[in-house]
Amino acid sequence: ARHSGPPDGGWGWMIVAGCFLVTICTRAVTRCISIFFVEFQAYFGQDYARTAWIHSIVDCATMLCAPLGSLISNHVSCQVGIMLGGLLASTGLILSSFATSLEHLYLSLGVLTGLGFALCYSPAIAMVGKYFNKRKALAYGIAMSGSGIGTFILAPVVQLLIEQFSWRGALLILGGFVLNLCVCGALMRPISLKEDCKTAPEFLERDYVPETEKQDLKRMFICSPLIKLWPHECLCYCSWKEYDFLLMPGFMVLAVSVLFMAYGCSPLFVYLVPYALSVGVSHHQAAFLMSILGVIDIIGNITFGWLTDRRCLKKHRYFCYLFAVGMDGLCCLFLPVLQSFPLLVPFSFTFGYFDGAYVTLIPVMTADVVGTSLLSSALGVVYFLHAIPYLVSPPVAGWLVDTTGSYTASFLLCGFSMIFSSALLCFARLAKKIKRTHLRSLTGNTALKQHIWTNGAIAYSVTAELDQKDVEFLAVDTNSFSNR
Protein backbone atom coordinates (compact mmCIF):
# COMPACT_ATOMS: atom_id res chain seq x y z
CA ALA A 1 0.00 0.00 0.00
CA ARG A 2 1.10 3.53 -0.71
CA HIS A 3 1.38 5.83 2.31
CA SER A 4 0.87 9.60 2.20
CA GLY A 5 3.84 10.03 4.53
CA PRO A 6 6.31 8.08 6.67
CA PRO A 7 4.48 6.12 9.41
CA ASP A 8 7.01 7.21 12.11
CA GLY A 9 6.66 3.94 13.97
CA GLY A 10 5.11 0.50 13.61
CA TRP A 11 7.34 -1.76 11.53
CA GLY A 12 9.71 1.20 11.28
CA TRP A 13 11.24 0.21 14.61
CA MET A 14 12.06 -3.22 13.18
CA ILE A 15 13.73 -1.41 10.28
CA VAL A 16 15.76 0.54 12.86
CA ALA A 17 16.70 -2.75 14.56
CA GLY A 18 17.75 -4.22 11.21
CA CYS A 19 19.84 -1.16 10.34
CA PHE A 20 21.38 -1.32 13.84
CA LEU A 21 22.56 -4.87 13.13
CA VAL A 22 23.78 -3.87 9.67
CA THR A 23 26.01 -1.13 11.13
CA ILE A 24 27.40 -3.63 13.66
CA CYS A 25 28.24 -6.15 10.94
CA THR A 26 29.71 -3.56 8.55
CA ARG A 27 31.16 -0.46 10.21
CA ALA A 28 32.06 -2.08 13.56
CA VAL A 29 33.76 -5.04 11.87
CA THR A 30 35.67 -2.62 9.59
CA ARG A 31 36.89 -0.66 12.60
CA CYS A 32 38.02 -3.84 14.34
CA ILE A 33 40.22 -4.72 11.38
CA SER A 34 42.66 -2.18 12.86
CA ILE A 35 43.21 -4.64 15.74
CA PHE A 36 44.62 -7.08 13.17
CA PHE A 37 47.06 -4.38 11.99
CA VAL A 38 49.93 -5.35 14.29
CA GLU A 39 49.34 -9.07 13.63
CA PHE A 40 49.42 -8.60 9.84
CA GLN A 41 52.53 -6.42 10.07
CA ALA A 42 54.38 -8.96 12.20
CA TYR A 43 53.29 -12.01 10.18
CA PHE A 44 54.00 -10.63 6.70
CA GLY A 45 56.96 -8.43 7.73
CA GLN A 46 55.75 -5.30 5.88
CA ASP A 47 55.88 -1.59 6.73
CA TYR A 48 53.05 0.65 7.97
CA ALA A 49 52.06 1.99 4.55
CA ARG A 50 51.67 -1.39 2.81
CA THR A 51 49.81 -2.95 5.74
CA ALA A 52 47.45 0.05 5.97
CA TRP A 53 46.21 -0.63 2.43
CA ILE A 54 44.08 -3.51 3.79
CA HIS A 55 41.90 -1.22 5.91
CA SER A 56 41.91 1.40 3.16
CA ILE A 57 40.64 -0.99 0.49
CA VAL A 58 37.84 -2.28 2.77
CA ASP A 59 36.64 1.26 3.46
CA CYS A 60 37.13 2.37 -0.14
CA ALA A 61 35.26 -0.61 -1.63
CA THR A 62 32.41 -0.12 0.87
CA MET A 63 31.95 3.52 -0.12
CA LEU A 64 32.95 3.26 -3.79
CA CYS A 65 30.29 0.62 -4.45
CA ALA A 66 27.60 2.36 -2.36
CA PRO A 67 25.77 3.59 -5.51
CA LEU A 68 25.63 -0.04 -6.67
CA GLY A 69 23.90 -0.94 -3.42
CA SER A 70 21.42 1.90 -3.96
CA LEU A 71 20.83 0.79 -7.57
CA ILE A 72 20.04 -2.81 -6.55
CA SER A 73 17.80 -1.55 -3.74
CA ASN A 74 15.88 0.80 -6.04
CA HIS A 75 15.45 -1.51 -9.03
CA VAL A 76 15.50 -5.04 -7.58
CA SER A 77 14.89 -5.22 -3.82
CA CYS A 78 16.45 -3.89 -0.64
CA GLN A 79 16.11 -7.37 0.86
CA VAL A 80 17.93 -9.06 -2.03
CA GLY A 81 20.73 -6.48 -1.96
CA ILE A 82 21.42 -6.84 1.77
CA MET A 83 21.29 -10.65 1.72
CA LEU A 84 23.63 -10.80 -1.28
CA GLY A 85 25.97 -8.37 0.46
CA GLY A 86 26.02 -10.54 3.58
CA LEU A 87 27.03 -13.60 1.57
CA LEU A 88 29.82 -11.71 -0.24
CA ALA A 89 31.20 -10.14 2.97
CA SER A 90 31.20 -13.48 4.79
CA THR A 91 32.93 -15.19 1.87
CA GLY A 92 35.61 -12.49 1.83
CA LEU A 93 36.37 -12.87 5.55
CA ILE A 94 36.49 -16.67 5.34
CA LEU A 95 38.85 -16.58 2.33
CA SER A 96 41.03 -14.05 4.20
CA SER A 97 41.64 -16.60 6.95
CA PHE A 98 43.62 -18.62 4.37
CA ALA A 99 45.72 -15.66 3.15
CA THR A 100 49.39 -16.24 2.32
CA SER A 101 50.29 -12.67 1.34
CA LEU A 102 49.15 -9.07 1.72
CA GLU A 103 47.96 -9.10 -1.90
CA HIS A 104 45.63 -11.97 -1.04
CA LEU A 105 44.19 -9.87 1.81
CA TYR A 106 43.83 -6.87 -0.52
CA LEU A 107 41.48 -8.92 -2.72
CA SER A 108 39.58 -11.02 -0.19
CA LEU A 109 39.38 -8.83 2.92
CA GLY A 110 39.58 -5.58 0.97
CA VAL A 111 37.64 -5.88 -2.29
CA LEU A 112 35.24 -8.78 -1.69
CA THR A 113 34.29 -7.96 1.90
CA GLY A 114 34.09 -4.25 1.09
CA LEU A 115 31.76 -4.95 -1.86
CA GLY A 116 29.51 -7.02 0.39
CA PHE A 117 29.35 -4.25 2.98
CA ALA A 118 28.51 -1.73 0.22
CA LEU A 119 25.44 -3.70 -0.88
CA CYS A 120 24.13 -3.62 2.71
CA TYR A 121 25.04 -0.23 4.16
CA SER A 122 23.37 2.57 2.17
CA PRO A 123 20.10 0.67 1.39
CA ALA A 124 19.58 -0.14 5.09
CA ILE A 125 20.18 3.47 6.10
CA ALA A 126 17.87 4.79 3.38
CA MET A 127 15.07 2.49 4.60
CA VAL A 128 15.10 4.23 8.00
CA GLY A 129 14.58 7.59 6.26
CA LYS A 130 11.52 6.23 4.46
CA TYR A 131 9.84 5.11 7.69
CA PHE A 132 10.54 8.20 9.83
CA ASN A 133 10.06 11.94 9.53
CA LYS A 134 9.27 13.60 12.88
CA ARG A 135 11.62 11.32 14.81
CA LYS A 136 14.10 10.84 11.98
CA ALA A 137 17.22 11.99 13.86
CA LEU A 138 16.39 9.79 16.88
CA ALA A 139 15.74 6.78 14.63
CA TYR A 140 19.04 7.35 12.85
CA GLY A 141 20.78 7.83 16.19
CA ILE A 142 19.63 4.41 17.38
CA ALA A 143 20.35 2.74 14.05
CA MET A 144 23.82 4.23 13.64
CA SER A 145 24.75 3.47 17.25
CA GLY A 146 25.34 -0.09 16.08
CA SER A 147 28.74 1.08 14.88
CA GLY A 148 29.68 2.19 18.39
CA ILE A 149 28.20 -0.65 20.40
CA GLY A 150 29.62 -3.11 17.90
CA THR A 151 33.09 -1.63 18.31
CA PHE A 152 32.72 -1.66 22.09
CA ILE A 153 31.83 -5.35 22.15
CA LEU A 154 33.86 -6.63 19.22
CA ALA A 155 37.19 -4.89 19.99
CA PRO A 156 38.01 -6.92 23.14
CA VAL A 157 36.35 -10.02 21.68
CA VAL A 158 38.49 -9.85 18.53
CA GLN A 159 41.62 -9.35 20.65
CA LEU A 160 40.66 -12.44 22.69
CA LEU A 161 39.94 -14.45 19.52
CA ILE A 162 43.35 -13.52 18.11
CA GLU A 163 45.05 -14.68 21.31
CA GLN A 164 43.09 -17.95 21.42
CA PHE A 165 42.85 -18.91 17.73
CA SER A 166 45.40 -16.62 15.98
CA TRP A 167 44.39 -14.01 13.41
CA ARG A 168 43.29 -16.74 10.97
CA GLY A 169 40.80 -18.23 13.40
CA ALA A 170 39.52 -14.79 14.38
CA LEU A 171 38.81 -13.91 10.72
CA LEU A 172 37.03 -17.24 10.21
CA ILE A 173 34.74 -16.60 13.20
CA LEU A 174 34.05 -13.04 12.01
CA GLY A 175 33.06 -14.49 8.64
CA GLY A 176 30.36 -16.57 10.34
CA PHE A 177 29.24 -13.58 12.42
CA VAL A 178 28.80 -11.37 9.34
CA LEU A 179 26.30 -13.88 7.90
CA ASN A 180 23.80 -12.20 10.25
CA LEU A 181 23.47 -9.59 7.50
CA CYS A 182 21.17 -12.06 5.72
CA VAL A 183 18.86 -11.93 8.76
CA CYS A 184 18.96 -8.12 8.63
CA GLY A 185 17.92 -8.23 4.97
CA ALA A 186 14.90 -10.36 5.83
CA LEU A 187 13.70 -7.64 8.25
CA MET A 188 13.56 -4.95 5.56
CA ARG A 189 9.96 -4.43 4.41
CA PRO A 190 9.74 -2.04 1.43
CA ILE A 191 7.34 0.89 1.74
CA SER A 192 5.86 3.05 -1.02
CA LEU A 193 5.35 6.77 -0.35
CA LYS A 194 3.37 9.12 -2.56
CA GLU A 195 6.42 11.34 -3.04
CA ASP A 196 8.44 8.43 -4.43
CA CYS A 197 6.52 8.61 -7.71
CA LYS A 198 5.08 11.65 -9.41
CA THR A 199 2.31 11.96 -11.93
CA ALA A 200 3.12 13.61 -15.24
CA PRO A 201 1.73 17.06 -14.34
CA GLU A 202 3.56 17.06 -11.00
CA PHE A 203 6.80 16.06 -12.67
CA LEU A 204 6.48 18.70 -15.39
CA GLU A 205 5.88 21.42 -12.79
CA ARG A 206 9.21 20.81 -11.06
CA ASP A 207 11.56 23.79 -11.41
CA TYR A 208 14.76 21.79 -11.81
CA VAL A 209 13.48 19.82 -14.84
CA PRO A 210 15.01 21.43 -17.97
CA GLU A 211 12.58 22.83 -20.55
CA THR A 212 13.88 20.47 -23.25
CA GLU A 213 13.05 17.46 -21.08
CA LYS A 214 9.60 18.87 -20.34
CA GLN A 215 8.89 19.21 -24.06
CA ASP A 216 10.11 15.64 -24.69
CA LEU A 217 7.86 14.31 -21.95
CA LYS A 218 4.86 16.23 -23.29
CA ARG A 219 5.43 14.72 -26.74
CA MET A 220 5.70 11.27 -25.14
CA PHE A 221 2.34 11.66 -23.45
CA ILE A 222 0.73 12.87 -26.69
CA CYS A 223 2.27 10.29 -29.04
CA SER A 224 2.80 7.15 -26.99
CA PRO A 225 -0.26 4.88 -26.82
CA LEU A 226 1.39 2.93 -24.00
CA ILE A 227 1.62 5.89 -21.67
CA LYS A 228 -1.95 6.91 -22.55
CA LEU A 229 -3.04 3.75 -20.77
CA TRP A 230 -1.61 5.15 -17.51
CA PRO A 231 -3.01 8.70 -17.27
CA HIS A 232 -3.48 8.56 -13.49
CA GLU A 233 -0.63 6.23 -12.57
CA CYS A 234 2.81 7.19 -11.27
CA LEU A 235 5.47 8.39 -13.65
CA CYS A 236 8.63 7.01 -12.03
CA TYR A 237 11.95 8.62 -12.60
CA CYS A 238 14.30 6.95 -15.07
CA SER A 239 17.53 5.79 -13.47
CA TRP A 240 19.50 8.65 -15.01
CA LYS A 241 17.02 11.17 -13.60
CA GLU A 242 17.44 9.85 -10.06
CA TYR A 243 20.59 11.94 -9.76
CA ASP A 244 19.19 15.41 -10.55
CA PHE A 245 20.12 16.42 -7.01
CA LEU A 246 23.80 16.48 -8.08
CA LEU A 247 23.11 19.93 -9.56
CA MET A 248 21.76 21.35 -6.29
CA PRO A 249 24.22 23.94 -4.83
CA GLY A 250 23.49 22.71 -1.29
CA PHE A 251 24.39 19.14 -2.20
CA MET A 252 27.57 20.25 -4.01
CA VAL A 253 28.83 22.02 -0.88
CA LEU A 254 27.93 19.02 1.29
CA ALA A 255 29.76 16.70 -1.13
CA VAL A 256 33.01 18.72 -1.04
CA SER A 257 32.93 18.95 2.75
CA VAL A 258 32.39 15.18 2.98
CA LEU A 259 35.62 14.60 1.03
CA PHE A 260 37.70 16.47 3.62
CA MET A 261 35.79 15.03 6.57
CA ALA A 262 36.29 11.46 5.32
CA TYR A 263 40.01 12.08 4.80
CA GLY A 264 40.40 13.27 8.39
CA CYS A 265 38.41 10.61 10.23
CA SER A 266 39.68 7.40 8.62
CA PRO A 267 43.38 7.20 9.73
CA LEU A 268 42.56 7.53 13.41
CA PHE A 269 40.67 4.22 13.50
CA VAL A 270 43.62 2.54 11.80
CA TYR A 271 46.42 4.06 13.89
CA LEU A 272 44.91 4.61 17.35
CA VAL A 273 45.90 1.12 18.52
CA PRO A 274 49.42 1.20 16.94
CA TYR A 275 49.97 4.72 18.32
CA ALA A 276 48.92 3.64 21.80
CA LEU A 277 51.30 0.67 21.63
CA SER A 278 54.13 2.96 20.48
CA VAL A 279 53.80 5.16 23.60
CA GLY A 280 53.96 2.18 25.98
CA VAL A 281 50.30 1.19 26.37
CA SER A 282 49.66 -2.56 26.67
CA HIS A 283 47.74 -4.54 24.05
CA HIS A 284 44.65 -4.92 26.26
CA GLN A 285 44.64 -1.23 27.17
CA ALA A 286 44.96 -0.29 23.49
CA ALA A 287 41.99 -2.51 22.61
CA PHE A 288 40.14 -0.97 25.57
CA LEU A 289 40.66 2.49 24.05
CA MET A 290 38.80 1.29 20.95
CA SER A 291 36.06 -0.07 23.20
CA ILE A 292 35.73 3.28 24.99
CA LEU A 293 35.59 5.07 21.65
CA GLY A 294 32.87 2.65 20.55
CA VAL A 295 30.61 2.94 23.61
CA ILE A 296 30.86 6.74 23.70
CA ASP A 297 30.10 6.68 19.99
CA ILE A 298 26.76 5.11 20.95
CA ILE A 299 26.00 7.91 23.40
CA GLY A 300 26.86 10.45 20.71
CA ASN A 301 24.58 8.69 18.20
CA ILE A 302 21.54 8.55 20.44
CA THR A 303 21.84 11.79 22.44
CA PHE A 304 22.67 13.94 19.41
CA GLY A 305 19.86 12.28 17.47
CA TRP A 306 17.40 12.96 20.29
CA LEU A 307 18.61 16.54 20.85
CA THR A 308 18.45 17.53 17.19
CA ASP A 309 14.86 16.25 17.01
CA ARG A 310 13.87 18.79 19.69
CA ARG A 311 12.08 21.89 18.44
CA CYS A 312 14.80 24.25 19.69
CA LEU A 313 17.57 22.47 17.73
CA LYS A 314 15.71 20.95 14.78
CA LYS A 315 16.25 24.09 12.69
CA HIS A 316 19.95 24.12 13.59
CA ARG A 317 20.96 20.58 12.57
CA TYR A 318 23.34 22.07 10.01
CA PHE A 319 25.35 23.89 12.66
CA CYS A 320 25.22 20.91 15.03
CA TYR A 321 26.82 18.80 12.29
CA LEU A 322 29.63 21.22 11.47
CA PHE A 323 30.29 21.76 15.21
CA ALA A 324 30.68 17.99 15.74
CA VAL A 325 33.06 17.66 12.76
CA GLY A 326 35.12 20.63 13.96
CA MET A 327 35.43 19.21 17.47
CA ASP A 328 36.71 15.90 16.12
CA GLY A 329 39.30 17.87 14.14
CA LEU A 330 40.47 19.63 17.31
CA CYS A 331 40.77 16.27 19.08
CA CYS A 332 43.10 15.02 16.33
CA LEU A 333 45.28 18.13 16.69
CA PHE A 334 45.81 17.45 20.40
CA LEU A 335 46.40 13.69 20.05
CA PRO A 336 50.23 13.84 19.48
CA VAL A 337 50.77 15.32 22.98
CA LEU A 338 48.72 12.56 24.67
CA GLN A 339 51.32 9.89 25.37
CA SER A 340 49.94 7.81 28.21
CA PHE A 341 46.88 5.69 28.84
CA PRO A 342 45.26 8.12 31.37
CA LEU A 343 45.53 10.90 28.78
CA LEU A 344 44.30 8.80 25.85
CA VAL A 345 41.12 7.79 27.70
CA PRO A 346 39.63 11.35 27.65
CA PHE A 347 40.58 11.56 23.97
CA SER A 348 38.61 8.38 23.22
CA PHE A 349 35.63 9.82 25.11
CA THR A 350 35.64 13.15 23.26
CA PHE A 351 36.45 11.89 19.79
CA GLY A 352 33.99 9.00 20.10
CA TYR A 353 31.13 11.26 21.20
CA PHE A 354 31.45 13.76 18.36
CA ASP A 355 32.15 11.01 15.84
CA GLY A 356 28.83 9.42 16.76
CA ALA A 357 27.17 12.83 16.58
CA TYR A 358 28.10 13.75 13.03
CA VAL A 359 27.70 10.19 11.69
CA THR A 360 24.08 10.30 12.89
CA LEU A 361 23.45 13.62 11.14
CA ILE A 362 24.94 12.70 7.72
CA PRO A 363 21.77 10.92 6.45
CA VAL A 364 19.53 13.48 8.17
CA MET A 365 21.29 16.38 6.45
CA THR A 366 21.25 14.53 3.13
CA ALA A 367 17.49 14.00 3.46
CA ASP A 368 17.00 17.70 4.28
CA VAL A 369 18.89 18.66 1.10
CA VAL A 370 17.45 16.22 -1.48
CA GLY A 371 14.21 14.92 0.09
CA THR A 372 13.12 11.44 1.14
CA SER A 373 12.29 10.14 -2.34
CA LEU A 374 15.90 10.56 -3.54
CA LEU A 375 17.54 9.65 -0.23
CA SER A 376 18.74 6.19 -1.29
CA SER A 377 20.49 7.51 -4.41
CA ALA A 378 21.87 10.55 -2.57
CA LEU A 379 23.28 8.43 0.27
CA GLY A 380 24.89 6.20 -2.32
CA VAL A 381 26.67 9.25 -3.74
CA VAL A 382 27.59 10.62 -0.30
CA TYR A 383 29.14 7.32 0.77
CA PHE A 384 30.74 6.99 -2.67
CA LEU A 385 32.52 10.29 -1.96
CA HIS A 386 34.02 8.69 1.16
CA ALA A 387 35.79 6.14 -1.05
CA ILE A 388 38.85 8.04 -2.34
CA PRO A 389 39.69 9.68 1.03
CA TYR A 390 39.26 6.32 2.77
CA LEU A 391 41.54 4.72 0.19
CA VAL A 392 44.41 7.20 0.29
CA SER A 393 44.38 8.64 3.82
CA PRO A 394 45.62 5.59 5.85
CA PRO A 395 48.51 4.83 3.43
CA VAL A 396 49.43 8.55 3.32
CA ALA A 397 49.39 8.62 7.11
CA GLY A 398 51.47 5.43 7.19
CA TRP A 399 53.96 6.95 4.74
CA LEU A 400 54.28 10.00 7.00
CA VAL A 401 54.91 7.71 9.99
CA ASP A 402 57.56 5.76 8.04
CA THR A 403 59.20 9.00 6.82
CA THR A 404 59.10 11.13 9.98
CA GLY A 405 59.31 8.36 12.58
CA SER A 406 56.31 9.74 14.52
CA TYR A 407 52.54 10.05 14.27
CA THR A 408 52.46 13.84 14.73
CA ALA A 409 52.30 14.85 11.06
CA SER A 410 49.61 12.25 10.32
CA PHE A 411 47.31 13.36 13.13
CA LEU A 412 47.81 17.07 12.41
CA LEU A 413 46.86 16.54 8.76
CA CYS A 414 43.71 14.69 9.85
CA GLY A 415 42.76 17.43 12.28
CA PHE A 416 43.19 20.30 9.81
CA SER A 417 41.25 18.37 7.14
CA MET A 418 38.20 17.97 9.40
CA ILE A 419 38.36 21.58 10.58
CA PHE A 420 38.46 22.74 6.94
CA SER A 421 35.38 20.58 6.21
CA SER A 422 33.51 22.27 9.05
CA ALA A 423 34.67 25.76 8.05
CA LEU A 424 33.58 25.20 4.43
CA LEU A 425 30.02 24.42 5.51
CA CYS A 426 30.00 27.44 7.81
CA PHE A 427 31.14 29.81 5.05
CA ALA A 428 28.61 28.32 2.62
CA ARG A 429 25.76 28.93 5.06
CA LEU A 430 26.92 32.51 5.72
CA ALA A 431 27.16 33.17 1.97
CA LYS A 432 23.63 31.81 1.47
CA LYS A 433 22.29 34.02 4.25
CA ILE A 434 24.01 37.12 2.82
CA LYS A 435 22.62 36.34 -0.65
CA ARG A 436 19.13 35.88 0.75
CA THR A 437 19.31 39.18 2.64
CA HIS A 438 20.53 40.96 -0.49
CA LEU A 439 17.71 39.45 -2.56
CA ARG A 440 15.10 40.64 -0.08
CA SER A 441 16.52 44.14 -0.04
CA LEU A 442 16.31 44.28 -3.86
CA THR A 443 12.82 42.84 -4.36
CA GLY A 444 10.98 43.67 -1.14
CA ASN A 445 8.41 41.56 0.65
CA THR A 446 5.47 43.29 -1.06
CA ALA A 447 6.55 42.14 -4.49
CA LEU A 448 7.05 38.63 -3.21
CA LYS A 449 3.54 38.50 -1.76
CA GLN A 450 2.04 39.75 -5.03
CA HIS A 451 3.76 36.92 -6.92
CA ILE A 452 2.30 34.37 -4.54
CA TRP A 453 -1.23 35.74 -4.93
CA THR A 454 -1.12 35.82 -8.71
CA ASN A 455 0.78 32.72 -9.75
CA GLY A 456 1.05 29.44 -7.84
CA ALA A 457 3.89 28.17 -10.01
CA ILE A 458 6.03 31.20 -9.12
CA ALA A 459 5.13 30.83 -5.46
CA TYR A 460 7.12 27.61 -5.21
CA SER A 461 10.35 29.14 -6.47
CA VAL A 462 9.95 32.40 -4.53
CA THR A 463 9.10 30.90 -1.16
CA ALA A 464 12.23 28.76 -1.40
CA GLU A 465 14.16 31.97 -0.74
CA LEU A 466 12.12 32.83 2.37
CA ASP A 467 12.53 31.62 5.92
CA GLN A 468 9.90 29.53 7.70
CA LYS A 469 8.15 32.43 9.43
CA ASP A 470 7.71 34.27 6.12
CA VAL A 471 6.29 31.13 4.50
CA GLU A 472 3.74 30.67 7.30
CA PHE A 473 2.74 34.36 7.17
CA LEU A 474 2.35 34.34 3.40
CA ALA A 475 0.34 31.11 3.52
CA VAL A 476 -2.19 32.75 5.89
CA ASP A 477 -2.41 35.81 3.63
CA THR A 478 -2.94 33.59 0.58
CA ASN A 479 -5.82 31.69 2.24
CA SER A 480 -7.51 34.86 3.36
CA PHE A 481 -7.17 36.34 -0.13
CA SER A 482 -8.70 33.25 -1.78
CA ASN A 483 -11.67 33.28 0.66
CA ARG A 484 -12.54 36.78 -0.44
Side-chain angles (χ1 to χ4, degrees):
R2 187 175 302 146
H3 297 258
S4 58
D8 265 290
W11 191 258
W13 294 114
M14 292 302 294
I15 300 296
V16 170
C19 187
F20 175 83
L21 292 173
V22 168
T23 54
I24 289 178
C25 294
T26 56
R27 303 312 299 158
V29 169
T30 301
R31 287 182 179 183
C32 288
I33 290 175
S34 63
I35 298 175
F36 290 91
F37 187 93
V38 177
E39 300 294 328
F40 291 153
Q41 193 178 28
Y43 185 86
F44 296 108
Q46 299 293 336
D47 57 18
Y48 277 85
R50 290 199 65 189
T51 310
W53 277 106
I54 299 170
H55 192 283
S56 297
I57 295 172
V58 175
D59 263 337
C60 178
T62 301
M63 301 309 175
L64 192 66
C65 299
L68 178 61
S70 298
L71 188 67
I72 294 175
S73 174
N74 291 339
H75 296 283
V76 182
S77 168
C78 179
Q79 296 168 321
V80 170
I82 294 176
M83 289 181 177
L84 178 62
L87 290 173
L88 289 175
S90 178
T91 302
L93 285 164
I94 292 171
L95 290 177
S96 299
S97 66
F98 300 100
T100 56
S101 66
L102 281 182
E103 288 74 16
H104 186 161
L105 288 173
Y106 292 162
L107 292 175
S108 57
L109 186 56
V111 176
L112 191 57
T113 301
L115 175 61
F117 288 165
L119 298 183
C120 303
Y121 192 54
S122 56
I125 293 173
M127 283 292 290
V128 176
K130 286 183 175 291
Y131 271 85
F132 288 88
N133 184 24
K134 294 179 182 178
R135 291 174 285 185
K136 183 179 290 185
L138 176 61
Y140 271 125
I142 297 172
M144 305 296 279
S145 67
S147 177
I149 195 170
T151 305
F152 173 70
I153 296 172
L154 286 179
V157 169
V158 168
Q159 184 64 47
L160 184 63
L161 290 174
I162 292 173
E163 293 175 0
Q164 294 294 322
F165 305 106
S166 79
W167 62 267
R168 294 185 185 276
L171 285 174
L172 191 63
I173 294 170
L174 278 180
F177 172 74
V178 165
L179 276 174
N180 284 294
L181 285 169
C182 297
V183 179
C184 301
L187 289 174
M188 299 297 166
R189 181 183 295 174
I191 184 174
S192 178
L193 303 176
K194 283 187 176 179
E195 65 180 285
D196 289 341
C197 298
K198 299 292 180 182
T199 61
E202 289 173 327
F203 181 76
L204 294 173
E205 286 175 6
R206 288 194 178 257
D207 292 337
Y208 60 80
V209 179
E211 286 298 325
T212 55
E213 292 185 18
K214 290 183 180 180
Q215 296 301 324
D216 291 340
L217 284 172
K218 287 177 181 177
R219 284 194 293 270
M220 275 174 52
F221 279 97
I222 293 172
C223 302
S224 174
L226 180 62
I227 296 180
K228 283 183 178 180
L229 298 175
W230 302 338
H232 302 294
E233 296 295 323
C234 286
L235 174 65
C236 296
Y237 295 108
C238 298
S239 59
W240 61 273
K241 288 178 182 174
E242 292 174 359
Y243 295 92
D244 285 333
F245 59 85
L246 291 172
L247 300 178
M248 296 180 181
F251 186 81
M252 291 180 182
V253 173
L254 178 63
V256 175
S257 71
V258 162
L259 290 173
F260 287 95
M261 179 273 293
Y263 182 91
C265 72
S266 181
L268 185 118
F269 292 101
V270 181
Y271 292 108
L272 178 60
V273 171
Y275 172 72
L277 294 174
S278 71
V279 296
V281 175
S282 69
H283 283 78
H284 285 284
Q285 287 178 329
F288 185 62
L289 288 174
M290 288 294 291
S291 295
I292 293 173
L293 193 150
V295 73
I296 300 302
D297 196 296
I298 306 165
I299 298 173
N301 286 141
I302 298 174
T303 59
F304 234 68
W306 181 83
L307 286 172
T308 51
D309 269 342
R310 302 304 95 195
R311 183 173 297 178
C312 58
L313 287 178
K314 198 165 188 175
K315 297 179 181 178
H316 305 290
R317 287 171 174 169
Y318 190 93
F319 293 102
C320 291
Y321 171 81
L322 64 89
F323 174 74
V325 174
M327 286 300 295
D328 262 1
L330 287 176
C331 288
C332 290
L333 294 183
F334 283 105
L335 184 56
V337 300
L338 308 177
Q339 299 188 0
S340 65
F341 181 72
L343 292 176
L344 287 171
V345 169
F347 166 82
S348 291
F349 271 88
T350 309
F351 186 89
Y353 182 82
F354 288 109
D355 179 73
Y358 76 74
V359 166
T360 295
L361 292 181
I362 287 175
V364 177
M365 286 188 61
T366 306
D368 290 343
V369 172
V370 305
T372 304
S373 60
L374 297 174
L375 180 58
S376 180
S377 300
L379 278 177
V381 174
V382 167
Y383 293 129
F384 171 82
L385 293 172
H386 285 65
I388 302 303
Y390 278 4
L391 179 67
V392 302
S393 57
V396 168
W399 176 79
L400 289 173
V401 173
D402 292 330
T403 304
T404 63
S406 76
Y407 291 85
T408 302
S410 299
F411 291 146
L412 289 180
L413 185 59
C414 293
F416 284 123
S417 180
M418 298 189 79
I419 290 172
F420 179 79
S421 172
S422 178
L424 180 65
L425 290 174
C426 184
F427 289 140
R429 179 51 64 96
L430 291 176
K432 184 177 180 180
K433 185 171 290 188
I434 292 170
K435 180 181 177 182
R436 183 180 298 174
T437 304
H438 181 64
L439 180 64
R440 286 179 183 172
S441 65
L442 289 177
T443 57
N445 287 334
T446 305
L448 291 174
K449 290 180 189 177
Q450 186 64 31
H451 276 300
I452 290 173
W453 288 341
T454 57
N455 191 328
I458 298 177
Y460 179 82
S461 60
V462 170
T463 53
E465 298 295 331
L466 304 178
D467 59 24
Q468 188 63 31
K469 292 182 180 178
D470 291 335
V471 173
E472 293 173 357
F473 173 77
L474 292 171
V476 172
D477 281 0
T478 305
N479 291 334
S480 63
F481 180 81
S482 60
N483 291 334
R484 293 176 189 173

